[in-house]
Amino acid sequence: MGQPLDDAGLDTIFRTARSYNGYTDAPITEDDIRRIDALAKLAPTSVNQQSARFVWVTSPEAKEKLAALATGSNPDKIRKAPVTVIIGMDLGFHEHLEWLFPHAPGARDWFPEDSRRDHALRNSSLQGAFLIVAARALGFDTGPMSGFDNAGVDEAFFSDQPGVKSNFICTIGHGDPSSIHDRLPRPEFEKFNRLV
């Protein structure tokens, strides 16, 4: 049974956490990346399908390639961030269910071709959101974004895996407080919730 986080934990993950537009020069190591992934992969997905595919963009060459496919102010964010992760979705996730969901041998047949994109999008989005939570829980800051050329990113980073399509991207590092704006409005419970 889970135990509630204390106020410091809730602040780190939610209340004072922000989406950063810039970072300090503090590096993110491969060990840091592996620790983030080790937590993020524990996220719940439908029948443990694990449809997300992460590309961790760290080299100057890869950053430049990704930045060239981003729009607005996103190219500079990508160039300056220690790491930008591309959250992709594998439309062939069902092929891995024999080992990911072994107690239902026929699980791969539950996902006909016309349904796979919806499942891959939904579950890779869940995994991407948990990746953000994992990074924050480990003391890092994040900047998720969707302003980029999906088809271009697919060609540049997933050409060897044609069944994988980009979902969204997220910078990770130690946030520069001067790069954030005041927190934007959040709705009161009654505005977008119903108890029935």
Side-chain angles (χ1 to χ4, degrees):
M1 183 175 187
Q3 297 297 316
L5 294 177
D6 62 14
D7 281 340
L10 292 172
D11 286 347
T12 294
I13 295 174
F14 295 108
R15 296 192 295 217
T16 60
R18 302 294 303 279
S19 292
Y20 278 79
N21 297 304
Y23 298 92
T24 70
D25 292 333
I28 300 292
T29 66
E30 181 177 339
D31 182 61
D32 295 330
I33 290 170
R34 289 179 178 274
R35 290 191 303 132
I36 294 167
D37 177 70
L39 288 179
K41 72 177 62 171
L42 300 176
T45 55
S46 301
V47 299
N48 196 39
Q49 66 183 237
Q50 301 288 317
S51 57
R53 302 292 178 264
F54 300 138
V55 176
W56 302 85
V57 178
T58 60
S59 71
E61 297 79 17
K63 287 181 185 183
E64 194 54 46
K65 185 191 299 187
L66 182 58
L69 296 164
T71 59
S73 60
N74 291 341
D76 280 344
K77 296 176 188 178
I78 292 165
R79 290 184 183 105
K80 293 175 182 175
V83 176
T84 301
V85 59
I86 304 168
I87 295 92
M89 53 181 175
D90 186 358
L91 304 182
F93 65 85
H94 64 298
E95 299 290 351
H96 302 281
L97 292 180
E98 185 175 341
W99 67 275
L100 286 172
F101 202 64
H103 53 278
R108 69 182 304 281
D109 299 326
W110 299 349
F111 301 95
E113 186 173 358
D114 62 356
S115 74
R116 289 176 201 149
R117 186 176 184 87
D118 286 347
H119 286 282
L121 178 62
R122 180 179 307 116
N123 289 283
S124 67
S125 297
L126 276 172
Q127 290 179 269
F130 271 94
L131 181 143
I132 292 168
V133 171
R136 288 175 171 181
L138 291 172
F140 303 108
D141 299 300
T142 62
M145 61 185 86
S146 56
F148 63 96
D149 175 355
N150 286 81
V153 168
D154 295 347
E155 176 61 29
F157 292 93
F158 296 117
S159 61
D160 61 333
Q161 303 173 69
V164 178
K165 307 299 179 187
S166 52
N167 184 344
F168 69 100
I169 60 180
C170 184
T171 55
I172 300 175
H174 296 280
D176 175 0
S178 70
S179 74
I180 57 175
H181 309 289
D182 291 340
R183 187 181 288 281
L184 294 171
R186 297 298 193 270
E188 295 296 325
F189 180 86
E190 289 73 17
K191 188 159 184 72
F192 295 136
N193 293 272
R194 290 188 299 152
L195 295 173
V196 296

